[in-house]
Amino acid sequence: MTNQLYPTLDLTREPVDYGLFHAVSLDLMLKHRFVPIHEQGGTLVVAMADPLDVVTQDLLRIHFKRALRFVGAPAAQIQEVLKKSESGQKVLDEAGEALKVQVLREEDVDEDVLDLEHLTDKDEAPIVRLVDTTIFNALQRRASDIHMESTAVGFQIKYRIDGSLYPAAEPIDKRFASLIISRIKVMSELDIAEKRKPQDGRFKLKVRGRAIDFRVSIMPTIHGEDAVIRILDKENLSEEFKSLNLDILGFSASELSRIRRFAKEPYGMFLVTGPTGSGKTTTLYAVLSEIRSPEDKLITIEDPVEYQLEGVAQIPVNEKKGLTFAVGLRSILRHDPDKILVGEIRDNETAQIAIQSALTGHLVFTTVHANNTLDVIYRFQHMGVEVYNFVSALNCILAQRLVRVLCPKCKRPHQTSTEELAENGLEASWAQRATLFEKVGCVDCNGTGYRGRQAIVEFMAMNDDIRDLITNRAPLKEIKSTARRHGMQTLRESALEKVRIGVTTFAEINKVTFREGA
């Protein structure tokens, strides 16, 4: 039946004033399926899943004590608005607040389903509720890690979002730190009595209908134990990786062309370098996604296998059982692979086998921790690898970092100054061909001004000139100069190009690259 009294709104198109949510509790909105939308001529507009529910209307008039106008909206859209709002943060704040006023006793409740309704259950043990809410809110805010830190003044919970840490809520009384860590240990099946040694574990929860893995690391500090929880949403990643390719990672056209060329070489080593969390694995998986073929056998050995690629044999490292990178790589070679991915080269043995594989007809993709393309050479020397063999096997080196991308919903044009340009080692003329933006902050980006990340890269293609210089131990300055003559763009130059076209900011690139000439 058509309802003439209460029009129905499409909340995916209707602007919502999330600031109004502070005046009403989350559990009340969930229970009665409504959200305040905006104010209109002194009247508060409220969207209800059932706008004919007069009992709820009377309840809301008593609660808000002001003029209300009711409209209809689909229940699913109301639920989605609540998820995108700060309501999850509100539950977390309330859960943390409870720990400031009462002493709690840990209860080992193994709950494997998280949703908003579960988190508003007042009968749940406060410690369990806090931990579950922390995890749920981290997923809502697209966090990759949860950091729990014991300090002299309290217990701080932080989220790593797009590579940066943000406080999840106000610090909790340090008396409750051990209870929270114990809850994490129980979930991860770790020893709750052991407080002087690091421990590693994992657990799995079902959130919004899909299973999510969490890796846990516990570490003792002078103020107590710290925990870091890594979120591995494999099902979500699998969906993303179905369409994963190099185009969506933010590489420039020239960088893409060179990467794709070397990814299709018949043999040799394609090496990616950078610190932990710089996107090395994602880049290699994007490469594999593009080059995999039923005609070729692709085998990977990783620690751990964080996401799965169809048609690729993937082996997880298990050092406790004796399956190291070196042992696994030897076994891989007996399976007649065409292309091999070695998750990381950490020692001389793995390096030697990988190099020999590249020299004997296999295309080897791998990573190593180093600051830039030239530092990789010294990294292999430090592992005791003969330089001549290394450069003979090497096709290219890709050094990589990630920079946060300005939120497209709220970024605004930025007029740079001569002083700002000089601080970044740039001439005033540089700004004449630039379209600069600055961060603002909105609901979509959690107020950070950034949403998502893109790669900046330094790609050095090996050729006879560069190989000769490395083998003859020429100065790094000379090697770098030769590489640039052959088309290499430095990390700083790649980063500045992102700023020039309005993708990111000077402040962001200065976190991951040196200011040349500043």
Side-chain angles (χ1 to χ4, degrees):
M1 183 175 70
T2 304
N3 179 14
Q4 301 294 335
L5 289 176
Y6 303 105
T8 299
L9 297 183
D10 182 353
L11 297 187
T12 62
R13 300 175 181 271
E14 192 74 17
V16 178
D17 183 357
Y18 289 94
L20 297 170
F21 286 39
H22 294 289
V24 60
S25 67
L26 172 64
D27 45 341
L28 190 66
M29 289 189 284
L30 286 167
K31 182 178 180 181
H32 296 285
R33 299 190 299 169
F34 75 91
V35 286
I37 301 298
H38 50 250
E39 293 188 55
Q40 198 172 65
T43 299
L44 180 63
V45 179
V46 179
M48 299 177 61
D50 182 8
L52 298 175
D53 183 353
V54 293
V55 175
T56 298
Q57 288 184 9
D58 291 341
L59 176 68
L60 296 183
R61 289 190 182 98
I62 295 171
H63 178 86
F64 286 106
K65 297 176 182 175
R66 59 180 298 183
L68 302 179
R69 183 167 75 86
F70 298 102
V71 297
Q77 291 185 8
I78 290 176
Q79 181 82 355
E80 192 61 31
V81 167
L82 290 174
K83 287 181 180 181
K84 287 182 66 176
S85 75
E86 296 178 351
S87 300
Q89 179 67 41
K90 192 172 181 181
V91 176
L92 179 58
D93 291 337
E94 292 171 357
E97 188 68 28
L99 301 189
K100 296 178 183 178
V101 296
Q102 63 183 29
V103 178
L104 304 172
R105 183 167 61 85
E106 171 65 8
E107 295 182 22
D108 293 339
V109 179
D110 186 14
E111 177 62 64
D112 67 346
V113 177
L114 290 183
D115 53 38
L116 283 173
E117 287 79 3
H118 162 71
L119 298 176
T120 56
D121 182 1
K122 303 301 182 184
D123 296 329
E124 186 65 271
I127 290 288
V128 175
R129 185 166 173 255
L130 173 70
V131 173
D132 288 354
T133 305
T134 297
I135 294 170
F136 184 83
N137 203 31
L139 294 167
Q140 294 295 91
R141 294 179 63 180
R142 303 179 298 105
S144 60
D145 304 84
I146 304 168
H147 290 243
M148 298 182 172
E149 302 172 353
S150 299
T151 68
V153 295
F155 189 71
Q156 180 73 66
I157 301 175
K158 300 176 182 178
Y159 295 145
R160 187 175 293 282
I161 304 170
D162 293 332
S164 296
L165 286 174
Y166 300 94
E170 291 296 316
I172 296 167
D173 193 312
K174 59 192 293 186
R175 292 177 298 163
F176 305 109
S178 61
L179 294 174
I180 295 169
I181 295 295
S182 292
R183 171 60 182 164
I184 299 296
K185 288 180 178 178
V186 168
M187 295 171 72
S188 311
E189 298 183 349
L190 299 176
D191 184 357
I192 62 173
E194 179 56 71
K195 299 179 183 295
R196 294 175 295 179
K197 293 181 181 178
Q199 296 189 70
D200 294 319
R202 60 178 60 222
F203 63 90
K204 181 180 290 188
L205 294 175
K206 191 172 185 181
V207 185
R208 295 193 295 271
R210 67 173 185 268
I212 300 176
D213 289 322
F214 299 84
R215 282 194 301 167
V216 177
S217 178
I218 309 288
M219 179 178 65
T221 70
I222 58 173
H223 297 296
E225 290 182 290
D226 286 7
V228 175
I229 303 173
R230 184 74 182 272
I231 300 171
L232 301 174
D233 191 349
K234 292 185 179 180
E235 290 186 31
N236 190 39
L237 284 167
S238 295
E239 289 299 314
E240 293 177 13
F241 271 62
K242 283 180 181 177
S243 59
L244 178 67
N245 57 61
L246 291 166
D247 291 315
I248 66 175
L249 300 185
F251 298 124
S252 69
S254 61
E255 291 163 349
L256 278 173
S257 175
R258 303 179 86 201
I259 291 170
R260 283 180 168 136
R261 174 197 156 196
F262 283 92
K264 295 175 181 177
E265 293 289 349
Y267 56 84
M269 182 181 290
F270 186 115
L271 195 150
V272 182
T273 188
T276 302
S278 60
K280 301 186 297 294
T281 303
T282 302
T283 296
L284 285 180
Y285 268 79
V287 169
L288 290 183
S289 295
E290 290 198 354
I291 67 169
R292 59 182 171 175
S293 164
E295 299 174 359
D296 293 329
K297 183 159 188 173
L298 275 70
I299 306 180
T300 77
I301 179 163
E302 307 163 68
D303 183 22
V305 176
E306 293 192 6
Y307 19 72
Q308 299 173 16
L309 274 178
E310 188 177 346
V312 179
Q314 296 171 273
I315 303 170
V317 165
N318 189 337
E319 294 191 358
K320 290 181 180 178
K321 300 293 186 182
L323 179 53
T324 62
F325 276 113
V327 171
L329 189 49
R330 281 200 193 93
S331 178
I332 286 173
L333 293 174
R334 291 192 285 270
H335 282 251
D336 188 29
D338 296 288
K339 298 174 176 63
I340 304 168
L341 185 148
V342 182
E344 182 186 345
I345 292 180
R346 301 172 180 170
D347 52 54
N348 176 273
E349 188 179 10
T350 307
Q352 296 287 5
I353 301 170
I355 290 169
Q356 289 303 313
S357 302
L359 289 171
T360 54
H362 302 92
L363 183 58
V364 178
F365 298 91
T366 189
T367 75
V368 68
H369 286 101
N371 287 324
N372 53 51
T373 53
L374 298 176
D375 284 349
V376 169
I377 300 162
Y378 290 114
R379 185 81 177 87
F380 274 83
Q381 285 180 330
H382 181 72
M383 285 189 281
V385 174
E386 180 60 47
V387 174
Y388 177 78
N389 286 335
F390 170 56
V391 297
S392 297
L394 192 60
N395 290 347
C396 62
I397 305 174
L398 176 71
Q400 180 169 310
R401 299 289 189 280
L402 294 176
V403 293
R404 290 184 295 173
V405 175
L406 285 164
C407 176
K409 291 283 183 70
C410 65
K411 70 177 182 179
R412 65 186 177 201
H414 171 61
Q415 188 66 43
T416 187
S417 64
T418 305
E419 292 77 14
E420 185 179 29
L421 291 171
E423 287 175 0
N424 288 280
L426 299 169
E427 301 290 337
S429 59
W430 183 88
Q432 295 175 4
R433 54 188 183 86
T435 306
L436 305 183
F437 287 85
E438 63 183 357
K439 68 173 186 174
V440 178
C442 65
V443 171
D444 272 18
C445 61
N446 292 309
T448 65
Y450 298 97
R451 185 175 177 85
R453 290 185 289 177
Q454 285 190 6
I456 58 170
V457 297
E458 180 177 290
F459 189 91
M460 184 168 77
M462 300 299 290
N463 56 40
D464 290 341
D465 291 341
I466 296 174
R467 287 190 177 95
D468 287 343
L469 290 172
I470 295 173
T471 304
N472 294 325
R473 302 184 185 277
L476 287 183
K477 186 177 181 180
E478 187 177 349
I479 300 172
K480 182 177 180 180
S481 176
T482 303
R484 295 190 68 179
R485 282 203 312 273
H486 287 280
M488 185 183 83
Q489 186 181 46
T490 66
L491 280 169
R492 182 67 179 181
E493 290 167 340
S494 177
L496 286 171
E497 183 61 19
K498 297 286 187 191
V499 177
R500 190 186 69 78
I501 61 177
V503 171
T504 189
T505 62
F506 285 123
E508 187 63 19
I509 69 168
N510 288 337
K511 294 179 182 178
V512 294
T513 62
F514 284 108
R515 310 179 198 192
E516 298 175 359

